[in-house]
Amino acid sequence: MILIAEKLSEVRAITRIAKEMNVEPYIGLRVRLVTKGAGKWATSGGEHAKFGLSTSEILTATDIMRDAGMSQAFKLIHFHIGSQVPDILIVKRAVREAARYYAKLRKMGHPVEYLDVGGGLAIDYDGSRSTFHSSMNYTVDEYARDVVYNITDVCDDERVPHPDIVSESGRAIVAHHSVLVVEAFGSIEKTPSMPAPVHTEQHKLTRDLEHIHDHVTTQNLSETWHDLLQIKEEAQKMFDVGVLDLNVKARVETMFWEIAEKLQRLTKDIDPSEVPEDIVELKNQLADQHICNFSVFQSLLDHWALGALFPIVPVHRLHEQPNMASTLVDITCDSDGKVSKFIDLNDVRDTLPLHTIKVDEPYYLGIFLTGAYQDIMGDLHNLFGRVNEVHVFLDDDEESGYYIEETIAGHTIQEVLGMTQYDARDLISKVKAQVDSAIKQDKLKPTEGMRLLADYERGLKAQTYLSFG
Ligand SMILES: Cc1ncc(COP(=O)(O)O)c(C=O)c1O
């Protein structure tokens, strides 16, 4: 085992404890390279990173080892410039810089045998093979060849023996192992499929809207949009002072979104560069929302915190053309609990093509490549705990080509309450005391009281997410 130190105090601690225990340690040093990563995790590397030893600290560390009579302990040089490095040029630069440290230390007589190239090997989340933060412009093979070639090249140049290479790739090894399947159980549509009630008497506002509806063309998109906004504002003002019925308000709102949708449809007939800016933005406002039984904070933390993108596709009805442009919202109380940025080959898209949810038919979405960092970092925001887990193994011997090795139930409500110092037994006895007192005061029938208590106990054992059926 080689203990890798990132601070001088750690080198001092290792040498002191090793002496106390009368053992010979193997020590590695994490070097703080000047080469900086790129993308979302770039600050893990570079001169101002919080990790690693500067050149002078490395030399001081070797002095500490020497003074402790442990010069032979120094076995490894390590670096890590951050996760998800999208650009191979940065990898090459970092490897060469670290190899130079290795070679110079070797030449000074230190017995370093290993060069540890850390993690950073990326995942092509969006499939664009670019230097975009959710992608990578290289393959795993290219990465391996570049690491080996550049270390060899520097070592040959410096005439030192080649080191054994160690890598610590995390994300690249585990990202593919897990897919989060979430049920979309409802949707919020901007333009309701149900027509708004038409009241007998036409109102001036609805007459104006009908006129707008009939006269909008590709030539007057912007003007129409502004007229629409004006009418919507007028309707709101009239409602605020009490001179607009709910009937008319409902009709105005429905017609507003219907015309907005028509405007949006008309943009398809003109050159995209000629679509007015506010009409481009309208597209996002018109997006529908699928409500999904999950928590972004528990299961997709990098998307919420860093804007990392993941491939998301329905796992149902793939033979059917999607008919909605939608975003995803989760079941937490937080407006941030949503996914409104999706991967696209050339850009980031604001909506995802999805299907209308059918009554009594489940509709599941797969969120892929979530195997690295997501579930383990997920926090308990809104007390949504771990999700149900199914371990699926591919196996050619099975008729289906796979088998389910294990299913692990997600957290129950009482488990997550326990994590916040609420003891289930305590809670139950408090509710029981209230039920007993209500029964005594004739506020509750005994059978009702017992049913209430049983429901409460059952609820504590249920899972934190919504259960249907
Ligand atoms: C020191 C070190 N090595 C390796 C890794 C794994 O990185 P990755 O998942 O990008 O391969 C990390 C992740 O933060 C790290 O801090």
Side-chain angles (χ1 to χ4, degrees):
M1 185 188 290
I2 303 176
L3 301 173
I4 301 180
E6 307 193 322
K7 298 187 195 74
L8 283 179
S9 58
E10 291 170 352
V11 183
R12 289 195 188 96
I14 296 168
T15 50
R16 178 175 47 78
I17 295 167
K19 256 194 186 163
E20 279 167 20
M21 300 185 70
N22 200 23
V23 292
E24 265 184 45
Y26 288 150
I27 298 177
L29 298 180
R30 175 166 178 171
V31 50
R32 194 190 304 153
L33 299 183
V34 170
T35 306
K36 208 170 161 210
K40 303 278 180 192
W41 289 268
T43 46
S44 303
E47 281 172 288
H48 305 295
K50 69 175 181 184
F51 312 105
L53 302 168
S54 64
T55 312
S56 71
E57 285 172 323
I58 295 223
L59 296 179
T60 308
T62 60
D63 290 346
I64 295 170
M65 288 186 249
R66 186 200 55 215
D67 294 348
M70 294 178 188
S71 295
Q72 293 308 305
F74 187 14
K75 287 282 174 231
L76 179 146
I77 275 288
H78 165 244
F79 73 91
H80 174 72
I81 55 165
S83 200
Q84 184 68 15
V85 178
D87 190 347
I88 192 68
L89 290 181
I90 291 169
V91 174
K92 289 173 195 252
R93 219 176 291 144
V95 167
R96 289 192 81 83
E97 191 184 342
R100 205 57 81 176
Y101 274 95
Y102 160 80
K104 297 290 183 201
L105 287 162
R106 265 318 277 242
K107 280 181 148 176
M108 289 169 75
H110 296 291
V112 186
E113 288 171 29
Y114 300 94
L115 180 50
D116 178 345
V117 298
L121 176 53
I123 285 286
D124 191 8
Y125 289 98
D126 67 9
S128 67
R129 298 186 201 168
S130 67
T131 55
F132 185 57
H133 62 73
S134 293
S135 185
M136 62 201 278
N137 67 351
Y138 55 97
T139 62
V140 176
D141 284 2
E142 185 180 349
Y143 173 86
R145 279 195 297 271
D146 279 339
V147 167
V148 173
Y149 170 79
N150 283 292
I151 294 174
T152 312
D153 195 44
V154 171
C155 291
D156 290 349
D157 181 48
E158 297 269 6
R159 296 178 202 283
V160 293
H162 298 166
D164 283 335
I165 301 170
V166 179
S167 88
E168 300 176 355
S169 295
R171 177 188 301 276
I173 290 174
V174 298
H176 294 84
H177 94 266
S178 147
V179 49
L180 177 73
V181 178
V182 299
E183 178 163 7
F185 61 93
S187 59
I188 304 166
E189 294 172 41
K190 281 284 156 56
T191 39
S193 41
M194 243 190 324
V198 187
H199 66 311
T200 42
E201 241 179 83
Q202 272 281 35
H203 192 279
K204 178 175 179 307
L205 290 179
T206 55
R207 265 201 312 276
D208 287 351
L209 284 168
E210 265 164 26
H211 179 83
I212 290 176
H213 182 275
D214 295 342
H215 290 86
V216 57
T217 67
T218 50
Q219 306 302 311
N220 62 8
L221 289 178
S222 214
E223 190 183 336
T224 306
W225 176 236
H226 298 149
D227 291 348
L228 263 184
L229 289 175
Q230 188 190 351
I231 292 180
K232 190 170 168 228
E233 199 180 299
E234 251 171 64
Q236 190 57 39
K237 274 192 204 144
M238 290 170 80
F239 183 70
D240 288 344
V241 294
V243 294
L244 197 71
D245 290 345
L246 279 180
N247 267 340
V248 185
K249 189 169 189 299
R251 182 100 186 111
V252 167
E253 283 172 10
T254 313
M255 289 179 74
F256 175 88
W257 288 114
E258 271 171 11
I259 300 170
E261 207 169 66
K262 188 170 179 190
L263 281 179
Q264 190 55 42
R265 273 199 308 274
L266 284 170
T267 60
K268 292 186 185 127
D269 300 337
I270 52 178
D271 183 343
S273 63
E274 289 184 5
V275 179
E277 189 70 27
D278 34 14
I279 309 290
V280 175
E281 280 163 24
L282 176 62
K283 195 171 161 204
N284 296 340
Q285 292 182 40
L286 277 169
D288 299 315
Q289 292 172 325
H290 276 62
I291 312 166
C292 300
N293 192 11
F294 84 124
S295 155
V296 165
F297 309 93
Q298 172 69 37
S299 300
L300 221 52
L301 204 65
D302 279 346
H303 178 73
W304 173 72
L306 299 161
L309 302 177
F310 294 89
I312 305 177
V313 286
V315 294
H316 280 200
R317 295 161 63 186
L318 297 180
H319 57 286
E320 234 181 88
Q321 183 82 23
N323 57 330
M324 294 170 77
S326 209
T327 59
L328 311 184
V329 290
D330 71 8
I331 53 171
T332 67
C333 70
D334 210 305
S335 56
D336 271 9
K338 64 175 183 187
V339 183
S340 55
K341 294 281 174 223
F342 303 92
I343 64 167
D344 201 8
L345 217 46
N346 297 316
D347 209 341
V348 176
R349 45 186 307 157
D350 298 311
T351 57
L352 192 66
L354 291 177
H355 305 92
T356 303
I357 297 171
K358 292 183 184 161
V359 183
D360 293 335
E361 220 178 84
Y363 187 62
Y364 290 110
L365 306 178
I367 305 177
F368 290 83
L369 299 177
T370 54
Y373 303 120
Q374 301 317 300
D375 48 357
I376 207 66
M377 281 202 313
D379 74 355
L380 272 184
H381 173 59
N382 271 195
L383 301 187
F384 283 112
R386 284 194 67 116
V387 299
N388 292 325
E389 227 172 84
V390 184
H391 295 182
V392 183
F393 282 76
L394 298 180
D395 189 337
D396 290 339
D397 292 341
E398 297 289 334
E399 204 178 313
S400 55
Y402 69 89
Y403 69 95
I404 293 173
E405 186 241 12
E406 190 175 18
T407 56
I408 302 172
H411 279 140
T412 61
I413 289 173
Q414 68 183 38
E415 279 170 341
V416 292
L417 286 175
M419 291 176 210
T420 51
Q421 286 81 51
Y422 287 94
D423 178 59
R425 266 175 310 183
D426 221 33
L427 290 170
I428 291 167
S429 72
K430 280 184 180 147
V431 173
K432 186 166 185 319
Q434 286 186 43
V435 166
D436 287 346
S437 136
I439 292 172
K440 265 195 202 126
Q441 295 170 45
D442 271 347
K443 286 184 184 161
L444 203 60
K445 286 193 195 136
T447 46
E448 281 172 346
M450 291 308 111
R451 206 180 58 225
L452 193 67
L453 197 59
D455 277 351
Y456 185 73
E457 285 185 41
R458 214 178 8 256
L460 285 176
K461 291 193 183 100
Q463 294 195 347
T464 54
Y465 294 91
L466 300 177
S467 61
F468 307 100

